[in-house]
Structures are given as structure tokens and as C-alpha cells.
Amino acid sequence: EDKVVQSPLSLVVHEGDTVTLNCSYEVTNFRSLLWYKQEKKAPTFLFMLTSSGIEKKSGRLSSILDKKELFSILNITATQTGDSAIYLCVKGGATNKLIFGTGTLLAVQP
Amino acid sequence: GAGVSQSPRYKVAKRGQDVALRCDPISGHVSLFWYQQALGQGPEFLTYFQNEAQLDKSGLPSDRFFAERPEGSVSTLKIQRTQQEDSAVYLCASSLALMGNTEAFFGQGTRLTVV
């Protein structure tokens, strides 16, 4: 079965902390690895990674992919309460089917 | 509109009723996906359209679920004889490209509650 596994399942931190979210995936039909943030209902796109070792950054968020070890990490530095959300790791496959992990629930306390 | 639009936002159905969920993708987007998200879970794939062609329906949980996109734009997900286990958020997403390697844009979802 095609799986995307995220860890931790949930995380509680204080404002200003740095967090690292992990994602591992199976190599079958791999095309891309995507990260989404889900606050209410609609997941919003953060990053798409296709090449190993190239870090993508957007403000305090960054992500990198390791295609040899089949994992990705999402880093958030200087966390803010607005970062509280579910972070979804998604594998994009050759069939255009997106395979979602169960997500990491991040709670940032003031 | 600028984004993916889904309607209704909320739907309460009595067990055994039929429901129809609508998705208006971003104009010009070739690919359209339906996902089911149960409480506390990540979205799970239901079906995928490329234009009007339904290329993958392997995720549809039973033959009570049916999806169509007759003109290659608006899509409808129909659930017949709803059951309590159908209660979930149904997400629609669209993307521009024909094959992988592209981000998908999601709608706000329809929360279906079967009572």
C-alpha cells in the first residue's frame, strides 16, 4: 500500500520555538513531495519538492527532500500562534493521485 | 472566482438520502480531484478527472459513490443511500497540469453529516 508517514502526530510548543516536522514516503510512482497547511478546511500549499538536497524557503518556513532516504522535513523557526495548524505531507505520483499523510497537528502557545 | 469553490459548505442528510456535492474548479484547470477527509485523518483520494474523463476512481468506497464532470469543468460527487460512515469533509482540488509535479488548489470542502 502506498503510504506517507508523518511524525510527530502532534506537537505543542511555545512562541519563538523552532519545530521540525518529519515525513517519510514510499518510492512507488514518486514525482514530487508537497507540504500543505490546513487551518480550517482547505489545505493551502506551502512547498513542492522534486530534487534532493535543495532547500526551499518561504519566510520562517523551509523544507528539504532526501530522495535517497525517502523523507522530507519541514522546519518552522520563531513559531507564532498563527502557525497552529495541521501540516500535511503529500506525495505526488505519476498517476496524478496525491497521497496524504495523516498530518502533524501543531499547537503554538503564547 | 479566483479559487476552487464547493457547495454546499455544510450538508446534513438523513440516512438513506441521496446527496450531491458540487465543485467549481479554477477556470482552465485540467485536473480535478475529490478527497474524503474523516475527522482527525488526512484526506484520502476518491477519484480523479482529466478534463471530462474520469481516469481513476479507485478510491470510491462503494458503488453508492458516483462522480461526474460532463463538460470538463464543474464536477458533482453524488452519494446514494447515505450511511453514517459517509460523514466526512469532502474536498475538491484542481490543478493546471495534466500529470504530477504540480500543486493542487483545494476548495473549502463540504462537511457532510449523516444522521
Side-chain angles (χ1 to χ4, degrees):
Chain A
E1 187 180 334
D2 212 348
K3 276 188 178 178
V4 174
V5 179
Q6 292 187 245
S7 64
L9 291 181
S10 63
L11 190 58
V12 180
V13 300
H14 289 98
E15 274 192 315
D17 288 350
T18 293
V19 298
T20 298
L21 310 183
N22 304 293
C23 174
S24 63
Y25 63 92
E26 295 183 0
V27 72
T28 312
N29 285 325
F30 177 83
R31 282 284 182 100
S32 59
L33 194 291
L34 305 98
W35 285 95
Y36 282 82
K37 177 182 182 183
Q38 187 173 28
E39 291 177 88
K40 297 253 175 106
K41 285 183 185 168
T44 53
F45 174 78
L46 294 176
F47 299 109
M48 183 170 71
L49 305 157
T50 55
S51 301
S52 274
I54 299 174
E55 185 183 51
K56 292 212 172 180
K57 285 180 71 75
S58 176
R60 297 176 293 102
L61 278 67
S62 64
S63 184
I64 197 163
L65 176 68
D66 185 327
K67 290 171 75 173
K68 182 179 176 185
E69 300 297 330
L70 306 180
F71 78 87
S72 174
I73 60 171
L74 175 69
N75 278 320
I76 308 175
T77 59
T79 51
Q80 302 171 358
T81 54
D83 296 328
S84 298
I86 297 172
Y87 289 84
L88 295 164
C89 177
V90 189
K91 187 182 94 169
T95 58
N96 227 352
K97 183 188 297 187
L98 300 177
I99 307 297
F100 284 78
T102 51
T104 292
L105 175 60
L106 174 65
V108 181
Q109 295 181 339
Chain B
V4 178
S5 176
Q6 291 186 245
S7 62
R9 291 287 303 278
Y10 303 91
K11 176 70 179 176
V12 178
K14 289 186 177 177
R15 195 168 65 174
Q17 271 187 328
D18 297 348
V19 298
L21 313 180
R22 178 186 169 104
C23 173
D24 281 87
I26 294 173
S27 178
H29 277 198
V30 170
S31 299
L32 184 145
F33 312 82
W34 283 98
Y35 284 83
Q36 181 191 58
Q37 187 171 23
L39 192 63
Q41 301 292 318
E44 293 201 2
F45 173 81
L46 293 177
T47 187
Y48 157 61
F49 289 86
Q50 180 179 303
N51 295 308
E52 70 278 2
Q54 189 174 21
L55 297 187
D56 189 338
K57 55 181 180 179
S58 62
L60 296 176
S62 78
D63 58 8
R64 296 186 295 105
F65 286 70
F66 172 75
E68 60 183 4
R69 194 187 185 196
E71 295 178 1
S73 56
V74 171
S75 177
T76 304
L77 176 66
K78 297 179 180 177
I79 310 173
Q80 297 176 321
R81 304 181 304 283
T82 51
Q83 303 294 317
Q84 282 192 313
E85 61 263 28
D86 300 335
S87 296
V89 174
Y90 290 85
L91 293 167
C92 175
S94 69
S95 67
L96 187 58
L98 290 174
M99 296 289 289
N101 276 9
T102 183
E103 68 178 281
F105 296 85
F106 284 82
Q108 291 278 53
T110 294
R111 179 178 292 281
L112 173 65
T113 303
V114 182
V115 297

